[in-house]
């Protein structure tokens, strides 16, 4: 295989990986969904070898679980993993906001305001996949403003896993509430008020986590099965 063929194969693998990740982030692919290699090969018009490469990458990213003799499935995070993901997000994003408060520029505030408008518009037209993606991307936009692509990628990975966790454990969390909290964080950043920004971030992530039902519930068989 020559260099051009290798580049083409890598491009297809990246496209499959990106499409599956996006479907998870936009809450279109549920945890536990079986990912059939041949079906994916047909969808992306490629070989099963390239599909397998994409699934292996997603497995490394903890978004897909590969089970011997059974195949690939969208991952189903445990309660403990869910708690750990949010704990890491809190630490990482607090450090990120502390750094950003010291050096955010008017141009960056303008960029954040434009993103907030996109969030509001998506919520206003009840665009569920769009608003879900934009609400997650808000945190990645903040990370990219650090000029640190490794940090942005780490946060992107954590947000993808957070989306899976939300699919499994989220109760009636309001997208409009999250959007309002994003607005308040940007206001604090514009004022360079580090204390307020950190307090708002902690409350925001706390609210998201609080809307996850992480306490295992024992099902009452009668209430589940009785007509």
């Amino acid at each position: 295989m020559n260099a051009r063929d290798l580049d083409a194969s890598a491009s297809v693998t990246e496209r499959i990986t990106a499409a599956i990740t996006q479907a998870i982030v936009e809450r279109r692919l549920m945890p536990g969904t079986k990912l059939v290699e041949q079906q994916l090969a047909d969808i992306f018009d490629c070989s099963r070898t390239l599909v397998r490469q994409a699934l292996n990458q997603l497995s490394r990213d903890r978004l897909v679980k590969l089970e011997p003799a059974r195949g690939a499935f969208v991952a189903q995070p445990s309660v403990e993993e869910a708690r750990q993901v949010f704990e890491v997000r809190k630490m990482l994003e607090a450090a990120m906001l502390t750094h950003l408060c010291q050096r955010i520029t008017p141009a960056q505030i303008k960029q954040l305001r434009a993103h907030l408008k996109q969030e509001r518009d998506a919520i206003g037209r009840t665009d569920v996949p769009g608003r879900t993606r934009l609400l997650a991307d808000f945190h990645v936009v903040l990370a990219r403003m650090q000029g640190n692509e490794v940090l942005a990628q780490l946060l992107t990975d954590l947000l993808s896993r957070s989306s899976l966790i939300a699919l499994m454990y989220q109760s009636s969390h309001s997208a409009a509430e999250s959007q309002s909290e994003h607005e308040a964080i940007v206001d604090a950043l514009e004022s360079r008020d580090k204390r307020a920004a950190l307090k708002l971030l902690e409350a925001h992530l706390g609210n998201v986590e609080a809307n996850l039902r992480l306490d295992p519930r024992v099902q009452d068989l009668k209430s589940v099965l009785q007509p």
Side-chain angles (χ1 to χ4, degrees), residues 11-224:
S11 176
V12 173
T13 300
E14 288 169 5
R15 185 159 56 91
I16 298 168
T17 304
I20 293 174
T21 301
Q22 192 75 0
I24 289 169
V25 169
E26 293 181 358
R27 308 189 72 189
R28 290 182 283 113
L29 260 183
M30 298 296 288
T33 301
K34 185 172 175 61
L35 301 170
V36 182
E37 284 186 9
Q38 187 56 58
Q39 189 177 4
L40 290 170
D42 293 341
I43 291 168
F44 292 97
D45 192 23
C46 67
S47 69
R48 289 178 64 173
T49 298
L50 296 182
V51 169
R52 205 168 293 124
Q53 289 174 0
L55 294 175
N56 282 331
Q57 177 60 53
L58 289 162
S59 174
R60 289 192 290 272
D61 294 340
R62 304 291 185 89
L63 296 181
V64 165
K65 184 175 182 182
L66 302 178
E67 298 187 8
R70 293 193 67 224
F73 298 82
V74 177
Q76 295 181 298
S78 67
V79 167
E80 184 55 32
E81 182 181 348
R83 290 197 172 104
Q84 289 176 5
V85 165
F86 274 91
E87 184 179 347
V88 172
R89 278 191 63 186
K90 287 172 185 175
M91 290 188 292
L92 192 62
E93 295 191 52
M96 183 177 77
L97 277 192
T98 297
H99 182 267
L100 200 55
C101 266
Q102 299 168 356
R103 61 199 70 202
I104 195 161
T105 67
Q108 288 173 326
I109 292 293
K110 186 177 179 181
Q111 181 186 350
L112 287 169
R113 296 289 183 199
H115 187 91
L116 291 174
K117 182 180 184 305
Q118 288 182 304
E119 290 181 356
R120 288 195 302 271
D121 290 347
I123 289 169
R125 62 177 181 268
T126 323
D127 175 6
V128 177
R131 80 188 185 199
T132 302
R133 184 185 68 252
L134 287 163
L135 289 170
D137 281 352
F138 172 79
H139 299 265
V140 179
V141 171
L142 288 174
R144 289 217 159 91
M145 287 179 174
Q146 314 286 316
N148 187 326
E149 195 56 36
V150 173
L151 172 62
Q153 189 56 56
L154 278 172
L155 198 52
T156 299
D157 293 345
L158 282 170
L159 285 161
S160 296
R161 291 172 72 177
S162 295
S163 295
L164 264 178
I165 290 162
L167 281 170
M168 286 190 65
Y169 300 112
Q170 195 170 53
S171 57
S172 55
H173 180 63
S174 165
E177 181 182 343
S178 275
Q179 201 283 322
S180 176
E181 289 165 355
H182 288 175
E183 298 266 6
I185 289 170
V186 173
D187 288 343
L189 283 171
E190 187 171 23
S191 302
R192 294 178 180 267
D193 188 338
K194 183 179 76 172
R195 180 177 294 182
L198 291 176
K199 188 174 180 180
L200 287 163
L201 174 70
E202 183 179 2
H204 172 54
L205 292 180
N207 286 341
V208 174
E209 189 174 5
N211 276 278
L212 303 176
R213 292 182 177 142
L214 297 180
D215 295 320
R217 291 170 294 169
V218 177
Q219 293 284 6
D220 172 47
L221 198 60
K222 183 178 179 181
S223 67
V224 171

